[in-house]
Amino acid sequence: MNRSLFLVFLLVTFTGGLFFSGCATHNAAMTFDEEVAVSSPPAALEGFNAIVVYDSWSGNTCQIAEEIAAGLNCPAMAVDDAADLAAGEYDLIVVGSPVHGGMPTGKIENFMEQAAPAAFSAVFVTYGAPLFGTLTANRCLNSMEKKLGGQCLGRFKCNGFHKIFRTYPRHPDETDKSEAARFAAGLLERMGDYATTQGFTD
Ligand SMILES: Cc1cc2nc3c(=O)[nH]c(=O)nc-3n(C[C@H](O)[C@H](O)[C@H](O)COP(=O)(O)O)c2cc1C
């Protein structure tokens, strides 16, 4: 094998290794607003009015939306059905999107531009690009958090099967979903403090 062929072989092996090792890892991650106190929620959350609004082209983000909504005991609404949603009337609005080119989908962008801010918000994405995917997911979450307004309590991201790159097959998987449920519980814990000081309206 001559020298340049060997270098090409090394490069392909290294890039391929990185690509597939990146796809094998579990990347569900969440962060919360550290300024908000954590309290034990359920009893205080009567009348708590929350909604999850999401877009999903191939079902991944929808699965996470449903998991978070179940944890919050509130509806999950496809963005197509949310044109007339009075977002400002909710105590908490959680918005989710697949990452498309480092941004949320156009429908989610439009929704966030038009929606009046709820008192509290949270954002989540599913993403599927190998290697640089986490960067694009963070960029997307930053822009969503900024656009949505209200006090953003937390953000969540996990992998979702990428139809073009064929990465992260079977994601979101059971671990991703249980992390999403844990995220919802974390949001509730942070709403509990608000409930004891402000109360909720039915
Ligand atoms: C048009 C298009 C653009 C995408 N762009 C990105 C991207 O910039 N970064 C990324 O990590 N994943 C990207 N993905 C992958 C999706 O974000 C990922 O597979 C997601 O889980 C799909 O969610 P859905 O099934 O709810 O549509 C892209 C997918 C499509 C179809």
Side-chain angles (χ1 to χ4, degrees):
M1 195 186 290
N2 70 29
R3 197 159 173 249
S4 49
L5 206 61
F6 181 66
L7 285 176
V8 171
F9 171 76
L10 272 186
L11 192 70
V12 169
T13 312
F14 179 70
T15 320
L18 268 182
F19 185 92
F20 287 108
S21 65
C23 296
T25 51
H26 248 294
N27 291 324
M30 68 192 88
T31 52
F32 293 101
D33 182 345
E34 285 171 11
E35 310 271 294
V36 179
V38 174
S39 61
S40 49
L45 290 179
E46 219 161 293
F48 169 58
N49 198 12
I51 189 148
V52 178
V53 176
Y54 68 92
D55 197 10
S56 187
W57 283 23
S58 55
N60 300 335
T61 316
C62 174
Q63 290 181 55
I64 296 299
E66 280 169 0
E67 207 64 44
I68 294 173
L72 294 174
N73 195 22
C74 77
M77 184 181 279
V79 70
D80 286 336
D81 302 326
D84 300 325
L85 188 82
E89 290 174 11
Y90 287 86
D91 301 305
L92 171 67
I93 181 162
V94 186
V95 175
S97 176
V99 177
H100 282 181
M103 296 299 283
T105 64
K107 285 180 183 177
I108 287 292
E109 290 256 37
N110 290 342
F111 172 77
M112 290 188 303
E113 257 156 37
Q114 285 155 21
F120 291 94
S121 62
V123 289
F124 67 98
V125 293
T126 67
Y127 65 103
L131 303 178
F132 58 86
T134 309
L135 294 178
T136 63
N138 290 342
R139 179 168 185 258
C140 185
L141 286 166
N142 288 343
S143 87
M144 288 170 75
E145 184 173 335
K146 207 164 158 193
K147 208 165 240 178
L148 194 53
Q151 183 172 0
C152 188
L153 291 179
R155 40 201 275 169
F156 175 87
K157 61 175 185 266
C158 75
N159 290 135
F161 175 58
H162 196 314
K163 279 172 73 175
I164 300 166
F165 288 168
R166 317 300 294 172
T167 46
Y168 305 107
R170 292 176 295 281
H171 283 271
D173 63 9
E174 288 312 310
T175 308
D176 297 321
K177 288 183 198 167
S178 66
E179 287 294 282
R182 214 160 62 76
F183 177 63
L187 295 178
L188 282 181
E189 283 173 353
R190 280 145 186 94
M191 292 301 293
D193 191 48
Y194 173 74
T196 47
T197 52
Q198 310 276 319
F200 292 118
T201 49
D202 277 322

